Structures are given as structure tokens and as C-alpha cells.
């Protein structure tokens, strides 16, 4: 056992004395030491109950013969961080969490790990850490929030963001906005639509690192506690069989995850996170692979914000495994891959039927013949731009309009709420990429303002920043290269005609190559917005969004 390095032999007598100080008995130290990485805190609704999940995991580990030892991971609530400097600190925590988990796991020589994440960056960061450490590991998330209810209809966090735009447009008053505040987020858990947190928790099942229900069992349900106990027991089986994360997270497993991503209509943030996780697993996952997978994968689900269904309904319909079962009917998944259940993908999903064809469309009656996400390119985005095409209204799949150019999110929001954006416009928000932000802020505020003001079917938005999974409409993010490094998005001028063709995967400005070259000659880099602390270090090390915004030293 790895933990013998920290607890066995005369040389480790000092360490054993410290284990004594912690209250551990000889009997406990004779067992495998299992690290329980828990991101419990009292600022994130998706994490406020993870102490209970951790206790259940610990019980499961102990029942199966291990000694569970909990240590923390941080997490940011994107909704609370939205719209101010705090959002610069969301994506960047992905690397802080991965690095700190590596430090704790190796410093204390754990034999196995159970990861307990739930929200946006917390899930991919711990998957990154699992791939990097390659110690037997199982994931169990905190689960999704229950949907809210407004006037007899299910609703979620995106509704309150759009209500802010509706109030700015004079469509609702202060009392109605306050009613939304009270009703849209009724329980603990990750926000109830197919936003980034739930997307990544579902893909944790798809890639094989989480047990059935990890992505869909609602946070308040007792089934979530039972799942946590089983995760604790299962990690001991993986330790005995020596099944490690890199045995599970193979190239084929990432393609499976991409396939499920397209079928579910997941958040565009998955196009940042899957490549970053793959990088840690020694797998190259280029954005172009997404279009290849999308071309053959039908979109089977329209969960909020793309449609009127929510995570609790996906669970009732059979969950992620039922979606995978539908996909297997057209041989769209590799079924012989080992997973954290100790079984193969095929064994996991074989009896998981689709219980609600309105929530999970049958494979021969999809919402779309292609997947939920599209990667675009063109003279604005020579590398990539990303859009959640399953959440775009048909009339905006192809669009041309004049550019309304803003060099930060705040200026764009002021113009949108001030009525300065009109039908047909293309809002361009730049210098918000991984380096330019720094930190690549989410643009849920402007996209929600556009939707709330009734412009969602006539106004597009493009940015070198990114979008919340709660964003909908013709919202194209991850434009690379970003403005901060002189990407073409930095050269767009007010009134330039922007051409968007999502089915053709193209994103262009109708300006000649010669004119763009002249503009590039005049372009000057901007001084960094942040010059001290972690963000400054991050800005110097981060790569482009097309590479997953991973950190690298040097070129």
C-alpha cells in the first residue's frame, strides 16, 4: 500500500505519533487510508450539504474495510461571483483545486480517493487531479437542486437572470422580480438546469468515473446518501482490483463523454474542461473532435435553458445511463471500456431503459440530428468559437448584423439595459479571454439581459470570454485567439458586418484580409488589468480557450 510510506517502519514512528494525536487506532492504520476530498462550504448552495455526503462516503469506506480521512477542496459559486471582479476568480480555481488536491494526496500518501465535488470548476478540477494522481478514485457529487416553481411552471436560476433584463425593459416590476428571487432556487444542490455543474457531473458518469445517478439524483433525495455510501464501498473494490483513473479515462472514454455531451446538450464550458482533463490523462482532445462527434450524434435532450425540463425529470426518465442506452442503439458508444463500477460501459447501461420519451427523445426521433454544441471558425475565430446550438432559436442559426463592440462586459451590459442594442445587432465583448480578463469571465448577465429584454431571437453575442451553462441564444464564446494576444476579434470595429452560420460552422467579419492586416499593424497590446496576486501569475501561464485554458510554463 502507498500509505505504508507514511505509517510503517521505525522511520515513521514520528508520523505514527501524529496519527495518534489525530485519534487513529492501530487497527485503523493497518487498513488502507482513503482520502475523502470534500468541497463542503457555506457559500455555495451546491456544497452546503456535502458534509452529509462526506459522512456517508466515510461510512461506506469503513464498511468495506478502509480508513476514511477527509480533507477539503475550495469552490466558488458562479452565480454569486457573477457580474463583478469575483467572476475573474471562477475558472482560475480549477487549477488551484487540482494542484492543492495533488499536494494533499501525495504529501499524505493516500491509497485511494473519493472525490466529492458539485459545482462548475470543482468537478473538472477534481477530475484533472484524479487523472494526474492516478490513484484508485470514485466520484460522488452533491447532486442537482430541485427546480423552482413560478405560477405553476418549473423554473431555475436562469429565469431570475432573465427577469433582471425584463425589469430593465419595463416588462415586470419590483414585486415580480422579488417573487422570482424567492422561488427559483428552492433547495441545496447545483442549479437545476443543464448548466455547467450538472453537465460535468453527468459527464463524470459518461466517462466512467462516477456511479449511476451521480449527475441526476437530486441533492435533497435520500438516494443521494445511499449513492455516497456505495461510492465509499466501491473505491475499496477499485483499490483491490487496482483499477486507476487512467485505466478508465482513455481516449475512447473521452469520445464517449463528448458523445453524451452532444446528446444531452451540455454547457459550452465542457469544451474547456474536457480537453483540460484529457491533457492530465495524457490524451489530446482538440476542439475539432467535437464537430466530428456532433455530426454523428443526435441531440436527445432539451433541458433548461434549452427547453422546459429539469434535472429531476432526467433522473425520473432514467438518467445518463438511459441516454447512453439510446445512443448505443446506433453504436455511438464504445461499450467495452472499464468504469468505476468495476464493470464495462455496456454492462452498466444494458438494462437502463428510457422511461420518458418527452424528456429523453428516442434515438430515431431526436430534437436535432446533430449534437448540442458546435465549434465555429473563420476570420474572427481562426482557432475556435463555441456555441450551444441546441439552445439557439431557428431564426438565429444563420445571422448577419452590425457589430456593437465593447472592450469589457460592464460596458456591454450598460448598453443592453440602456436600450442601445436593437434587433439585428451582434454584440462583441472582447478582452475577456483567459489572458485578457484575466480569468475568462462568464457572460450570463449580458445574455440574460438580451433574452429578458425580448431580443433573444434577433441579437447575437460573440466573445473571447465564455458563457454560463444557463446562457441561451446565439451566444458564441471561446473565440480564439483572444483579443489580448492580438486575435482578430480585437480588430473588429463598430458597424462591421458579422456573419454567423452555425450549421456551416462559420464565424466571419465582412472585412477584407487587406483591411484586417492594416488594422493589425496599428493594434497595440493592452496593459494587464491585474498586475498582482494569483490572477497575475495565471495570466502569464494560461493558454488559449481552444487548448482548454490549461496552464503552461513558457511556450
Amino acid at each position: 500500500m502507498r500509505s505504508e510510506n507514511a505509517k510503517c517502519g521505525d522511520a515513521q514512528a514520528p508520523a505514527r505519533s501524529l496519527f495518534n494525536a489525530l485519534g487513529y487506532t492501530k487497527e485503523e492504520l493497518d487498513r488502507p487510508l482513503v482520502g475523502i476530498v470534500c468541497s463542503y462550504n457555506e457559500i455555495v448552495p451546491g456544497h452546503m450539504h456535502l458534509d452529509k455526503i462526506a459522512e456517508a462516503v466515510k461510512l461506506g469506506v469503513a464498511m468495506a474495510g478502509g480508513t476514511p480521512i477527509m480533507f477539503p477542496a475550495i469552490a466558488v459559486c458562479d452565480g454569486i461571483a457573477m457580474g463583478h471582479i469575483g467572476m475573474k476568480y471562477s475558472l482560475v480555481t480549477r487549477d488551484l483545486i487540482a494542484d492543492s488536491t495533488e499536494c494533499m494526496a501525495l504529501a499524505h500518501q493516500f491509497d485511494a480517493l473519493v472525490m466529492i465535488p458539485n459545482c462548475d470548476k470543482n468537478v473538472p478540477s477534481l477530475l484533472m487531479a484524479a487523472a494526474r494522481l492516478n490513484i484508485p478514485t470514485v466520484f460522488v457529487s452533491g447532486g442537482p437542486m430541485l427546480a423552482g416553481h413560478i405560477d405553476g411552471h418549473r423554473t431555475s436560476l436562469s429565469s431570475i437572470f432573465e427577469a433582471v433584463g425584463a425589469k430593465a425593459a419595463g416588462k415586470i416590476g419590483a414585486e415580480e422580480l422579488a417573487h422570482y428571487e424567492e422561488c427559483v432556487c428552492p433547495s441545496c444542490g447545483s442549479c437545476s438546469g443543464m448548466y455547467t455543474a450538472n453537465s460535468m457531473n453527468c459527464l463524470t458518469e459518461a466517462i466512467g468515473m462516477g456511479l449511476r445517478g451521480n449527475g441526476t439524483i437530486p441533492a435533497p433525495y435520500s438516494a443521494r446518501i445511499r449513492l455516497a455510501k456505495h461510492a465509499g464501498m466501491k473505491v475499496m473494490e477499485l483499490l483491490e482490483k487496482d483499477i486507476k483513473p487512467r485505466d478508465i479515462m482513455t481516449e475512447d472514454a473521452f469520445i464517449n463523454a463528448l458523445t453524451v455531451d452532444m446528446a444531452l446538450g451540455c454547457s459550452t464550458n465542457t469544451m474547456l474542461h474536457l480537453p483540460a482533463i484529457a491533457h492530465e490523462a495524457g490524451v489530446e482532445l482538440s476542439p475539432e473532435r467535437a464537430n466530428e462527434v456532433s455530426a454523428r450524434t443526435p441531440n436527445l435532450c432539451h433541458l433548461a435553458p434549452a427547453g422546459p425540463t429539469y434535472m429531476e425529470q432526467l433522473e425520473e426518465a432514467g438518467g445518463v445511463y438511459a441516454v447512453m442506452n439510446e445512443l448505443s442503439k446506433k453504436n455511438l458508444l464504445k461499450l467495452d471500456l472499464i468504469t468505476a463500477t468495476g464493470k464495462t460501459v455496456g454492462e452498466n447501461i444494458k438494462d437502463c431503459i428510457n422511461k420518458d420519451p418527452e424528456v429523453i427523445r428516442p434515438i430515431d426521433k431526436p430534437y436535432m440530428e446533430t449534437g448540442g454544441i458546435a465549434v465555429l471558425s473563420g476570420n474572427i475565430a481562426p482557432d475556435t468559437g463555441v456555441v450551444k446550438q441546441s439552445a439557439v432559436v431557428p431564426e438565429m442559426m444563420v445571422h448577419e448584423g452590425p457589430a456593437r463592440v465593447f472592450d469589457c462586459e460592464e460596458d456591454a451590459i450598460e448598453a443592453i439595459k440602456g436600450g442601445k442594442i436593437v434587433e439585428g445587432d451582434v454584440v462583441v465583448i472582447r478582452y475577456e479571454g483567459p489572458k485578457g480578463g484575466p480569468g475568462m469571465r462568464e457572460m450570463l448577465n449580458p445574455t440574460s439581459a438580451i433574452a429578458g429584454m425580448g431580443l433573444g431571437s434577433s441579437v447575437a453575442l460573440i466573445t473571447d470570454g465564455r458563457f454560463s451553462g444557463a446562457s441561451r441564444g446565439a451566444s458564441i464564446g471561446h473565440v480564439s485567439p483572444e483579443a489580448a494576444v492580438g486575435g482578430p476579434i480585437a480588430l473588429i470595429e463598430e458597424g462591421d458586418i458579422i456573419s454567423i452560420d452555425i450549421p456551416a460552422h462559420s464565424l466571419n467579419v465582412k472585412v477584407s484580409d487587406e483591411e484586417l492586416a492594416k488594422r493589425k499593424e496599428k493594434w497595440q497590446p493592452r496593459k494587464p488589468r491585474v498586475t498582482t496576486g494569483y490572477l497575475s501569475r495565471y495570466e502569464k501561464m494560461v493558454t488559449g480557450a481552444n487548448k482548454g485554458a490549461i496552464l503552461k510554463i513558457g511556450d
Side-chain angles (χ1 to χ4, degrees), residues 444-459:
L444 180 55
N445 274 335
T447 59
S448 297
I450 288 169
M453 297 185 77
L455 298 171
S457 60
S458 60
V459 169

Side-chain angles (χ1 to χ4, degrees), residues 290-307:
N291 281 344
E292 294 173 17
V293 173
S294 180
R296 63 175 181 262
T297 306
N299 176 230
L300 304 182
C301 298
H302 266 192
L303 288 99

